[in-house]
């Protein structure tokens, strides 16, 4: 693997292979010494043009557990705020010898531009670009689902027949998009539930079912219900009347949570708006994987960094 830019282009065998390596990485986290020498002498740059806590520290922890050196570069307070272009930033990082670049950018497609540019010869990982993709989030979500379903017998398995309902702000969500491609590649069935205003105009090319009624979706007893954050920062207009109305119709409140099948899994990528898209009781329940998702994120990112940066990178 040369870069990890999207899940749309990821094949089933490749995706399962990455999840299996993440299982090995998770085993390392259970040892007394949580560190592997694999990327000793290599440098990972976290290039974040957009706010992030969990994704940035997750990549930082992953790189450090593989013994890489980590440079955190956030656009605020850097020369980027003085108008330096992506090209100049990339060339600066190349001159400093970056072997891997983890980029988060508000513009959809920025990681592709960087990977195709020739400005820098490093493995590029997309850590979220605009409303486009967030591949490591989808991989950690798939990893989390697979582990809840198969436990220690997860290796080699896909998600065949698993029914996943993704609820909320699909329009602005790169998490929803990356999950759609990855989960369906792994054999899962995806249903989106949202107010019509928070769905893309044309979803005909998406291999997913669409519904507008969360109660009907819950009555269908999905294996997984994934709540998305209302991304107020990407909204320049009113997409729903008010937050009370939103949670009344599309929030996973206590009453809806009680109607889920006992074995259902409740997911959220974080950060959560408690009381808006998800109630505290649902978020803190035994059905919730919110904290497992965070822990698994480190293992999955270790796997991605390992595949991109160890040994000779493949050309594919
Ligand atoms: C997601 C993101 O930034 O796209 N969060 C994350 O990576 N932890 C989802 C979100 O912000 O709602």
């Amino acid at each position: 693997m040369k870069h990890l830019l999207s899940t749309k282009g990821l094949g089933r065998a490749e995706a399962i292979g990455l999840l299996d390596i993440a299982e090995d990485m998770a085993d390392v986290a259970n040892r007394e010494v949580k560190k592997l020498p694999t990327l000793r002498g290599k440098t990972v740059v976290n290039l974040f043009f957009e706010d992030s806590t969990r994704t940035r520290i997750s990549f930082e922890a992953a790189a450090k557990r593989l013994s890489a050196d980590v440079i955190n570069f956030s656009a605020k307070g850097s020369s980027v705020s003085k108008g330096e272009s992506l090209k100049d930033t990339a060339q600066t990082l190349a001159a400093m010898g970056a072997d891997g670049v983890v980029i988060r950018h508000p513009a959809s497609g920025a990681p592709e531009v960087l990977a195709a540019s020739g400005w820098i010869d490093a493995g590029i990982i997309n850590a979220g670009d605009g409303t486009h993709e967030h591949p490591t989030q989808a991989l950690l979500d798939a990893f989390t689902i697979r582990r809840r379903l198969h436990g220690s017998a997860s290796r080699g398995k896909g998600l065949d027949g698993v029914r996943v309902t993704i609820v909320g702000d699909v329009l602005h969500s790169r998490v929803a998009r990356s999950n759609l491609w990855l989960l369906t590649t792994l054999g899962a069935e995806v249903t989106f539930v949202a107010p019509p205003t928070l769905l893309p105009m044309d979803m005909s090319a998406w291999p997913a079912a669409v519904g507008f009624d969360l109660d009907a979706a819950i009555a269908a007893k999905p294996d997984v219900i994934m709540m998305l954050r209302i991304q107020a920062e990407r909204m320049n207009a009113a997409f729903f009347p008010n937050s009370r109305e939103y949670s009344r119709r599309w929030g996973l409140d206590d009453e809806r949570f009680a109607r889920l099948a006992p074995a259902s899994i409740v997911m959220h990528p974080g950060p959560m708006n408690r009381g808006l898209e998800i109630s505290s009781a649902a978020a803190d329940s035994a059905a919730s994987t919110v904290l497992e998702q965070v822990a698994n994120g480190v293992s999955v990112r270790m796997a991605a960094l390992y595949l991109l940066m160890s040994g000779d990178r493949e050309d594919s």
Side-chain angles (χ1 to χ4, degrees), residues 166-169 192-199 211-215 217-218 225-228 230 239-253 256 276-278:
I166 302 179
V167 185
D169 188 358
F192 289 113
V193 176
T197 49
L198 288 178
L199 288 169
F212 307 106
D213 182 346
L214 181 53
D215 293 305
I218 286 174
I225 185 158
M226 184 185 294
M227 307 308 296
L228 300 172
I230 289 292
F239 287 85
F240 48 87
N242 57 48
S243 48
R244 208 159 56 97
E245 175 70 5
Y246 181 86
S247 54
R248 195 177 68 75
R249 295 195 57 187
W250 289 285
L252 186 61
D253 58 16
R256 288 197 177 99
L276 180 57
E277 70 262 1
I278 189 166

